[in-house]
Amino acid sequence: MTDLETRATRPGAGALRRATPALLGYAAVRALGLLALALWSAARDKSAYTLLTARWDALWYTRVAELGYGYEVRLPNGDVHSNLAFFPLLPWLERALATATPMSYADAGFVVALLASLAAAWGIFAVADHVYGRRAGVCAVLLWAVLPVGIVQSMAYSESLFTALAAWSLYAVLTGRWLTAGTLALLAGLTRPVGLAVVAAVWAAGVAWFVRQRNAARAGSAHTGERAPDPAVGARPRRVPAAGGAWNPSRALGFRARCALGMLLAPLGAAGYVLWVGHRTGRGPLGYLDVQAGWRNGFDGGYAFARFVADKFTSFPSALAGVGLIVGVGLLIRLYVVCVRQRQPLPLLVYAGVVTALALCASSYFGSKPRLLLPAFPLLFPLALALARLRTRRTVLVVGAVALASAVYGAFWLNGSGPP
């Protein structure tokens, strides 16, 4: 897990040209999904646009954007649903766009989601391309697009925005841009509670880099002109020469300072919002947990989810769903094990592991778990590598068939139970 050789960074306008096939493929898959949703919704006399922008959590985000925080709903069973449960970055962007344009808040949320989904696709490509190469990067983006709940990527939800920030923060870590990584992690922490996964990835990579740098210094690598390994945790060591080509301790010190500053920036977004909620509610640092408890959300190590699955086996038809859930969880665990065996860089493993653990071990609405796993894109990399080994024609056929099935399922799902 520490010997992976990552590929050279390709900065500048050429990066966009390199990502163009992935972005075009992603846009085509998402357009197919939106078309299927529009046709299905029209057949049921529903508005596809309303389903995307003015249902479930999208309403809560637009209400925060328009009226700010402080709104809550008290249910007959005593539960209190407060809009303080929703992190502020998406509503801030909706308000800014609605203020600067004639758009409504719902329109602004839809535009933000579309742009963020493209940014997320580009970020996923950048990470996969950096580690595995261009073809695998394109396949990773297409796989993310054709996920069964991929329609959420086009909704006025925060999943696309969060995934974009997370992917680019991880890419910044892998390429040694610590201040960028820390800033994007800060913004991810203002987007969703799972922003903690990005913080954990930045910190894990930073700690590993410092440890390896110290070990390299003790081994005397600085005297041979080498420096500590890349933050990718697994990349080959790079040289940082001075003007004359010799080892420059001052530049190495500057790099260490940027790394430390990036690590300090990373948790400020999530910590700042949680502390603000605690202050506003008067319940101290744990106030946000009380807000989530009003939504019956929490972290119980997967106990509630296990009981939910077990209850499926009380009757025959629902037992099939129980088997499907167990198989699904098993496949997720299997994919993560393969990621470890394929020596993914440490930041990706930490990030995907935390996202998956928070999604599976939370006591939230169980129908939301598939969309909560959307940001765990590194889990798709083993499948992307397998898909990249196929001939182009076969790859197109496989992706096309899965994209069609995903589009139909997304239309059916959003016109039925849908996410909340």
Side-chain angles (χ1 to χ4, degrees), residues 73-108:
V73 175
R74 295 184 178 272
L75 303 183
N77 64 356
D79 290 345
V80 178
H81 289 183
S82 169
N83 64 1
L84 290 170
F86 296 89
F87 277 52
L89 186 57
L90 177 57
W92 286 348
L93 294 175
E94 290 177 345
R95 177 179 294 181
L97 192 56
T99 301
T101 67
M103 294 182 186
S104 68
Y105 291 103
D107 295 338

Side-chain angles (χ1 to χ4, degrees), residues 84 274-288 290-291:
L84 290 170
V274 167
L275 291 175
W276 179 80
V277 170
H279 174 74
R280 177 165 180 133
T281 60
R283 297 172 185 173
L286 301 181
Y288 183 76
D290 294 334
V291 170

Side-chain angles (χ1 to χ4, degrees), residues 71-293:
Y71 177 81
E72 62 183 28
V73 175
R74 295 184 178 272
L75 303 183
N77 64 356
D79 290 345
V80 178
H81 289 183
S82 169
N83 64 1
L84 290 170
F86 296 89
F87 277 52
L89 186 57
L90 177 57
W92 286 348
L93 294 175
E94 290 177 345
R95 177 179 294 181
L97 192 56
T99 301
T101 67
M103 294 182 186
S104 68
Y105 291 103
D107 295 338
F110 183 63
V111 170
V112 170
L114 289 184
L115 294 178
S117 66
L118 287 171
W122 190 3
I124 293 170
F125 170 82
V127 172
D129 178 35
H130 181 77
V131 179
Y132 297 115
R134 187 183 190 185
R135 189 175 177 88
V138 173
C139 292
V141 170
L142 293 177
L143 287 173
W144 192 65
V146 302
L147 289 173
V149 293
I151 190 65
V152 174
Q153 298 163 17
S154 302
M155 296 180 67
Y157 272 41
S158 61
E159 274 77 9
S160 290
L161 178 60
F162 174 79
T163 304
L165 294 168
W168 284 109
S169 179
L170 291 171
Y171 179 74
V173 169
L174 294 175
T175 54
R177 298 172 173 89
W178 286 102
L179 293 181
T180 301
T183 301
L184 292 174
L186 184 156
L187 293 174
L190 287 171
T191 307
R192 297 185 61 82
V194 75
L196 294 174
V198 189
V199 177
V202 172
W203 272 74
V207 170
W209 185 84
F210 275 113
V211 169
R212 294 189 65 174
Q213 186 185 54
R214 183 192 61 185
N215 293 340
R218 288 179 177 178
S221 63
H223 298 291
T224 64
E226 292 184 353
R227 54 162 277 181
D230 282 351
V233 184
R236 285 184 174 178
R238 295 185 299 175
R239 295 177 182 268
V240 183
W247 169 254
N248 189 335
S250 63
R251 290 187 63 183
L253 180 62
F255 192 87
R256 287 196 293 270
R258 291 194 297 273
C259 177
L261 183 55
M263 293 174 66
L264 290 175
L265 284 172
L268 294 184
Y273 182 69
V274 167
L275 291 175
W276 179 80
V277 170
H279 174 74
R280 177 165 180 133
T281 60
R283 297 172 185 173
L286 301 181
Y288 183 76
L289 297 181
D290 294 334
V291 170
Q292 286 285 11

Side-chain angles (χ1 to χ4, degrees), residues 301-393:
Y303 175 72
F305 184 46
R307 287 192 57 183
F308 174 77
V309 174
D311 289 343
K312 294 293 182 182
F313 291 93
T314 56
S315 62
F316 172 71
S318 63
L320 297 177
V323 172
L325 288 170
I326 292 174
V327 171
V329 172
L331 287 175
L332 284 174
I333 296 174
R334 173 63 178 169
L335 281 175
Y336 188 79
V337 171
V338 174
C339 290
V340 174
R341 289 179 176 175
Q342 290 182 346
R343 299 178 174 230
Q344 276 192 17
L346 179 63
L348 301 186
L349 293 176
V350 171
Y351 169 76
V354 174
V355 171
T356 303
L358 290 176
L360 295 181
C361 298
S363 58
S364 56
Y365 177 69
F366 303 112
S368 297
K369 291 192 180 296
R371 74 173 177 88
L372 296 179
L373 287 164
L374 270 178
F377 63 87
L379 295 180
L380 298 173
F381 288 176
L383 299 178
L385 284 172
L387 194 61
R389 296 188 186 103
L390 300 178
R391 293 187 176 183
T392 301
R393 182 177 180 181

